[in-house]
Amino acid sequence: MYKPIVEQEMISFSNLLFFTKINFKKFLSISFSACLLFSLYFLIKPAKYSSKVSFYTNYTESVTPSFLNSVLGAASGSTSPGLKFSIKHYTESERFLNEVVEYEYIINGESTTLVDYWGSDYDKIFTLNPISFLSKLNKNLMLNKELPISNQKRHFAKEKLAKSIKYSEERLLSHHEIIVTLTDQKLSKDIVANIYKSMVKYSSAVTNIKASEKREFIEGRIQQIKNELETSESKMIDLLKNNKDLSSPILLLEKERIERDIALFSQLYLSLSDKLESAKIDEKDTTSPIFLLDSPNISSNKSGIEFHKGLIFIFFLSFMTSLCFELYQNRRQLFR
């Protein structure tokens, strides 16, 4: 007979301790058995390795001041124009995942894509891990069977890639870190390197495309300003040709007005020409605001929980689980 632990809504910690002492050997044996199973699993499970790359995204070049820069800057309220994108959103995008899984890597001495390398297991469900088994079974049941086999393999490869990527960011300093964890350490390093190249390529493409749009707009605006300038110059020529004496106040006022238009259009034409040259340079520019800090490298240690920490966690988890189960089994005696 056990002494009640809870009686009349009062908890007796002494009775709980007494109950634990009586069953301590049972709990201890279960905990040691669980630790033994964990040790065996730790030794036979496939080792996983992590590869990491880190970089900054806050690099900006100083812009040469000009009349048009000051006008555009004042209008937009920004001193560092440019399209910014989220690294996290990019690494989760279909565009990025498709690009990485379709890139050819050297695996086992052969050039192949992740779609072909990982995709061969797209319909395999069985695994010793029950949680993983249920997850694979659910995905297999929910997968659209009408898709071509190649699309199903690509979908499987993209999911596996997304799970292997871990992204972290320090927003204050715009510091980013991407880690890829796989059983193949060389492949994890190659994927990390390819991820970094993909982001640099995308950031440069964004700059080039926007610069191309800007160049086309400025070219159109320059042509308009040139036409306006030529029209004002023609008016000045006609005024001087048709009026030998400009002593009339009306003629003088008209002359001053045309001179102001010519000066304004000339200044705008020069400023836009300067801006057009900058846009042409940006259109061909291959530099990127992404600055590499740590090159892609393989971690010195295996990925996952450390052995001693895992043993401690499993020991306490199994001990507490055994205690709770025993309390439940004897709940009629212990809880009154």
Side-chain angles (χ1 to χ4, degrees), residues 214-231:
K214 187 176 180 180
R215 175 187 57 78
E216 293 175 1
F217 169 77
I218 294 176
E219 285 178 340
R221 186 59 181 152
I222 282 180
Q223 188 59 45
Q224 293 176 359
I225 295 297
K226 183 180 180 181
N227 294 337
E228 295 286 348
L229 178 60
E230 291 176 350
T231 301

Side-chain angles (χ1 to χ4, degrees), residues 60-78:
T60 54
E61 291 183 348
S62 58
V63 181
T64 304
S66 67
F67 171 77
L68 193 60
N69 282 339
S70 61
V71 172
L72 292 176
S76 63
S78 173

Side-chain angles (χ1 to χ4, degrees), residues 52-203:
K52 180 186 74 171
V53 64
S54 60
F55 51 91
Y56 291 101
T57 57
N58 56 358
Y59 173 76
T60 54
E61 291 183 348
S62 58
V63 181
T64 304
S66 67
F67 171 77
L68 193 60
N69 282 339
S70 61
V71 172
L72 292 176
S76 63
S78 173
T79 57
S80 58
L83 179 63
K84 295 178 174 58
F85 66 96
S86 167
I87 300 293
K88 183 177 185 297
H89 293 167
Y90 179 68
T91 55
E92 294 173 350
S93 67
E94 290 293 316
R95 169 180 179 156
F96 164 78
L97 294 174
N98 281 321
E99 180 180 340
V100 175
V101 299
E102 292 174 359
Y103 182 85
E104 291 192 350
Y105 303 88
I106 303 299
I107 305 174
N108 299 326
E110 296 182 0
S111 179
T112 183
T113 64
L114 296 180
V115 175
D116 295 329
Y117 182 63
W118 287 340
S120 58
D121 297 332
Y122 80 100
D123 57 348
K124 292 183 179 179
I125 301 176
F126 179 75
T127 177
L128 293 176
N129 189 327
I131 298 177
S132 179
F133 171 76
L134 291 175
S135 176
K136 288 185 176 183
L137 179 61
N138 177 66
K139 290 178 181 177
N140 186 270
L141 293 174
M142 297 300 295
L143 187 63
N144 183 3
K145 302 300 182 181
E146 299 299 324
L147 290 175
I149 299 299
S150 58
N151 288 3
Q152 294 185 38
K153 289 183 176 181
R154 183 180 295 105
H155 176 75
F156 178 82
K158 288 191 296 184
E159 279 198 337
K160 185 167 183 177
L161 174 64
K163 287 182 178 180
S164 67
I165 296 175
K166 179 183 178 183
Y167 168 76
S168 60
E169 173 188 6
E170 187 180 348
R171 294 188 178 181
L172 183 62
L173 299 176
S174 297
H175 175 261
H176 307 263
E177 185 176 274
I178 294 178
I179 299 175
V180 174
T181 304
L182 296 171
T183 55
D184 188 334
Q185 52 185 322
K186 181 182 179 302
L187 180 59
S188 68
K189 181 180 178 181
D190 292 342
I191 291 177
V192 162
N194 190 31
I195 288 174
Y196 178 73
K197 290 178 183 178
S198 177
M199 286 187 298
V200 172
K201 178 182 176 182
Y202 180 73
S203 64

